[in-house]
Amino acid sequence: MTIHVVGVQGDNTVCRFVEQAVAAGTPVAFVDLHAVVRHSWRITLHPDGDHAVLHTAADRPLVLPADGAYYLRTVDLSPVLPPDRGRAWRHLIGALMAYLDAVTGPVVNRPGGHSHNGAKPLHEWWLSRQGFAVPPALTSSDPDRIRAFLDKHGVAIVKAVCGSRGTAQLVSAVDFADFQPASGPVHLQQRVDGFDVRVHLVGDEAFAERIDSDAVDYRGSDAVYRPFEVPSDVLALMRDAAREMDLVFTGWDFRVGPDGRWWCLEANPMPGYDFYDRRCDGAISAAVRRVLVP
């Protein structure tokens, strides 16, 4: 079976997945969103509902079977594009996501399966409701509440309130001495001592690495990575939560404290996993392929 990959050409994770699929002999049909949106396009649904067709002015029509296999790495680039192309991008994403949320074949991951990840406070609340230990956090534009939180915890991690990728930073009350409400809201999370663990969960298979780094955000730092084992109780919580979110493939960020307690920071519904996959000789990509093409 062909795997249809929907994403952008410059995405390292997409490139890694396609590279590994081709090396394994799995046919791939790549829907490059950048290439599609440069020209006029339309999507037509077959009357019997067994497929859709993506028509563009540049390439041959691409059949998208309803029972096909799909790997999605979509991104909304409309804010950084000229207005006309930005609108076209939003419309293209909306049309594709509506169709791919309804197909009968396997999808990694279905667009509707992770809506709360787009808001950090809601996402962390949801994780705590599933039984995970989640560090205390505050989302506010009230200077008094922000300073009170920081006075209590000493330092905290500031993160993007939305689900967009951002670089976490360590802050204290001094950093908010002149804070104005119009600059907020900000999302603060208590800093947990210990080390990081990244877990990629594909179905019931887990691929975990311990990450030792002096940096607040270990990405791009001189971090040391090594394979690690996830406790059975934490793994059970992850599997249950992934099924509840209807996510086949998730990237989990944990912080393990000096007392051995596992603190859950995030469950990423669209993990950028290419560097981790290289360190485990393609095992993550292989697991994703097995889900899509049993």
Side-chain angles (χ1 to χ4, degrees):
M1 178 187 290
T2 297
I3 297 177
H4 292 75
V5 178
V6 182
V8 294
Q9 189 82 42
D11 184 336
N12 290 333
T13 296
V14 165
C15 293
R16 175 66 178 179
F17 180 78
V18 171
E19 168 193 287
Q20 291 293 291
V22 171
T26 304
V28 171
F30 182 41
V31 182
D32 183 2
L33 301 174
H34 266 312
V36 174
V37 83
R38 288 194 186 101
H39 307 278
S40 60
W41 60 269
R42 61 190 172 90
I43 296 176
T44 58
L45 296 177
H46 194 270
D48 62 13
D50 67 350
H51 71 275
V53 181
L54 174 61
H55 305 264
T56 73
D59 300 309
R60 293 182 303 174
L62 177 63
V63 175
L64 304 175
D67 61 353
Y70 295 88
Y71 175 65
L72 310 184
R73 282 278 297 176
T74 56
V75 59
D76 183 8
L77 296 181
S78 60
V80 298
L81 295 173
D84 56 338
R85 286 186 62 192
R87 285 191 297 272
W89 191 282
R90 288 194 300 273
H91 295 157
L92 174 62
I93 293 293
L96 283 173
M97 296 304 95
Y99 176 66
L100 295 175
D101 213 18
V103 296
T104 57
V107 181
V108 177
N109 283 306
R110 290 190 183 274
H114 47 79
S115 57
H116 55 73
N117 184 267
K120 279 287 192 292
L122 176 60
H123 184 59
E124 291 170 8
W125 171 85
W126 188 87
L127 290 171
S128 68
R129 296 277 291 182
Q130 308 312 305
F132 293 98
V134 179
L138 171 73
T139 303
S140 179
S141 58
D142 184 330
D144 292 333
R145 294 189 65 187
I146 291 171
R147 283 191 284 268
F149 183 86
L150 292 168
D151 286 341
K152 178 180 179 180
H153 298 290
V155 294
I157 305 294
V158 62
K159 298 181 175 181
V161 178
C162 65
S164 299
R165 178 172 175 170
T167 301
Q169 300 178 52
L170 198 62
V171 295
S172 66
V174 173
D175 297 297
F176 289 85
D178 300 320
F179 180 80
Q180 299 297 318
S183 302
V186 295
H187 182 67
L188 302 174
Q189 188 178 70
Q190 178 187 331
R191 166 73 168 177
V192 176
D193 291 332
F195 58 87
D196 291 288
V197 175
R198 173 74 168 197
V199 187
H200 291 94
L201 185 68
V202 187
D204 285 337
E205 295 185 77
F207 307 88
E209 283 190 306
R210 170 175 173 162
I211 303 137
D212 291 286
S213 172
D214 293 329
V216 175
D217 191 327
Y218 62 79
R219 294 171 299 186
S221 69
D222 293 328
V224 177
Y225 298 81
R226 46 184 159 156
F228 204 65
E229 186 171 344
V230 183
S232 58
D233 58 335
V234 175
L235 186 55
L237 287 175
M238 292 169 56
R239 288 168 172 164
D240 288 345
R243 283 191 286 268
E244 184 71 21
M245 291 186 286
D246 194 23
L247 296 175
V248 179
F249 181 26
T250 42
W252 295 77
D253 292 319
F254 291 93
R255 188 85 171 166
V256 180
D259 60 355
R261 189 177 191 185
W262 282 60
W263 295 89
C264 186
L265 307 180
E266 182 183 12
N268 191 322
M270 198 181 297
Y273 73 94
D274 47 301
F275 290 117
Y276 304 92
D277 195 51
R278 294 179 192 282
R279 285 191 293 271
C280 65
D281 296 325
I284 302 172
S285 288
V288 175
R289 287 197 309 277
R290 285 194 293 274
V291 168
L292 293 172
V293 186

